Amino acid sequence: MAKIIDGKAISLAVKDEIKAKTAELASKGITATLAVILVGEDPASQVYVKNKKKACEYCGIRSLSYELPADTSEEKLLELIDELNKRDDVNGILVQLPLPKGMDEDKVLDAISPDKDVDGFHPVNVGKLSIGKKGFVSCTPAGVIQLLKRSDIEISGKECVVVGRSNIVGKPMSMLLLKENGTVTVCHSRTKDLKEVTKRADILVVAIGKPKFIDASYVKDGAVVIDVGIHRMEDGKLCGDVDYASVEPVASAITPVPGGVGPMTIAMLMYNCLSSVCED
Ligand code: GUN
């Protein structure tokens, strides 16, 4: 029987800590402000943005919302980012992805000032992470580290295997585990014998975007399994990249979907917003 890592409870604890800190800052006249930009009407993005604004409200962070039509030009979007970069009363800028087809996502993300890049996607922040300097860290992998730490799971010296090499999750995840002194292996679609590698993991982080891909045959007895995936199945239920029913009996700890990594992403976004106005 695995311990179930409760991301909902842990994210709430993180948000409550942030709320206490923002209240303290408010008494000194300091407020964090996040500008959220959504281009187009992608329904999933609309839900994400709504949840981000709700979390801001809960945490005592001011949010400004920019909802632009799908046919907004890249130039107009860059102008808005430039204006927000210059505004002293805006501390964080988030452009919800994906952007409508035809927009150059890299160009748009690169236009956000690294000092306001609360998503941690700007090359400057990615570079800082890779050399162990302070900067904004991508929220989902940062959330995974919090889940492990707050569940008293030791990372130092452990075999950590990350499945997936995306810029948003896999790569920063590997950097963060390395920073915590894990021995890190990154697997991807060209990995020759995936099972052989994942079975070595004491801590297995899965972010491949394939529903229920990882079953018990990929997992060492007693491993900690973190599932970053989220998919809606035909019956309307949510599932992750891990086949939970198969893996749970062999793991020592596991994140459920929903209620595992998901809630941590927004909690860490709030953390990044708070750190945009204070040091610790
Ligand atoms: N779309 C899906 N995940 C994310 C995220 O973490 N940040 C942004 N900006 N867009 C996303």
Side-chain angles (χ1 to χ4, degrees):
M1 273 288 276
K3 171 191 160 84
I4 295 164
I5 300 174
D6 186 347
K8 235 174 140 175
I10 296 173
S11 70
L12 188 60
V14 171
K15 285 190 288 185
D16 282 337
E17 287 165 21
I18 294 166
K19 190 175 175 174
K21 191 83 191 169
T22 58
E24 194 188 311
L25 289 171
S27 69
K28 296 179 196 158
I30 301 166
T31 315
T33 298
L34 170 66
V36 180
I37 305 173
L38 173 62
V39 189
E41 280 103 39
D42 178 67
S45 291
Q46 284 173 329
V47 173
Y48 285 133
V49 163
K50 193 178 98 203
N51 289 339
K52 287 171 186 180
K53 288 193 284 194
K54 232 167 80 183
C56 280
E57 204 173 316
Y58 183 85
C59 292
I61 292 165
R62 187 169 72 117
S63 71
L64 305 176
S65 191
Y66 297 87
E67 288 173 20
L68 311 177
D71 62 358
T72 302
S73 68
E74 192 176 287
E75 194 189 349
K76 265 266 171 306
L77 177 59
L78 292 171
E79 270 172 29
L80 173 61
I81 292 171
D82 187 48
E83 179 196 316
L84 294 168
N85 279 340
K86 287 177 181 148
R87 270 177 64 169
D88 289 337
D89 66 329
V90 172
N91 315 99
I93 303 169
L94 180 150
V95 177
Q96 186 64 30
L97 303 177
L99 286 168
K101 279 197 185 72
M103 278 209 190
D104 184 341
E105 221 156 73
D106 282 343
K107 193 170 169 190
V108 170
L109 295 178
D110 290 3
I112 298 171
S113 162
D115 299 331
K116 299 189 178 186
D117 168 41
V118 284
D119 257 329
F121 295 165
H122 193 283
V124 166
N125 285 315
V126 176
K128 282 183 172 173
L129 176 63
S130 76
I131 55 170
K133 284 199 173 161
K134 219 167 145 31
F136 290 113
V137 178
S138 182
C139 302
T140 300
V144 171
I145 296 293
Q146 285 303 308
L147 285 179
L148 294 171
K149 287 192 170 175
R150 289 170 189 252
S151 305
D152 294 320
I153 294 163
E154 176 88 25
I155 303 169
S156 181
K158 295 288 173 66
E159 286 284 347
C160 303
V161 175
V162 179
V163 190
R165 56 173 159 181
S166 69
N167 290 339
I168 293 182
V169 182
K171 282 180 200 156
M173 189 73 253
S174 66
M175 296 293 180
L176 287 171
L177 290 165
L178 194 56
K179 192 170 157 209
E180 297 296 332
N181 302 310
T183 301
V184 184
T185 307
V186 183
C187 303
H188 45 78
S189 53
R190 305 284 173 89
T191 297
K192 280 230 171 71
D193 188 349
L194 182 61
K195 255 182 211 182
E196 186 270 319
V197 184
T198 57
K199 275 188 97 79
R200 293 205 298 256
D202 300 312
I203 299 172
L204 180 62
V205 182
V206 187
I208 41 176
K210 291 184 184 164
K212 297 190 183 181
F213 184 86
I214 298 289
D215 64 17
S217 67
Y218 288 81
V219 180
K220 180 170 80 176
D221 244 14
V224 173
V225 179
I226 305 290
D227 188 353
V228 179
I230 187 153
H231 313 275
R232 193 167 294 278
M233 293 182 295
E234 272 175 10
D235 63 3
K237 287 194 183 135
L238 294 170
C239 75
D241 292 349
V242 173
D243 183 344
Y244 186 88
S246 166
V247 171
E248 187 272 336
V250 299
S252 63
I254 187 166
T255 58
V257 176
V261 174
M264 292 305 292
T265 299
I266 292 189
M268 298 317 290
L269 173 68
M270 298 299 105
Y271 175 84
N272 282 350
C273 291
L274 173 65
S275 60
S276 71
V277 289
C278 72
E279 274 297 302
D280 44 33

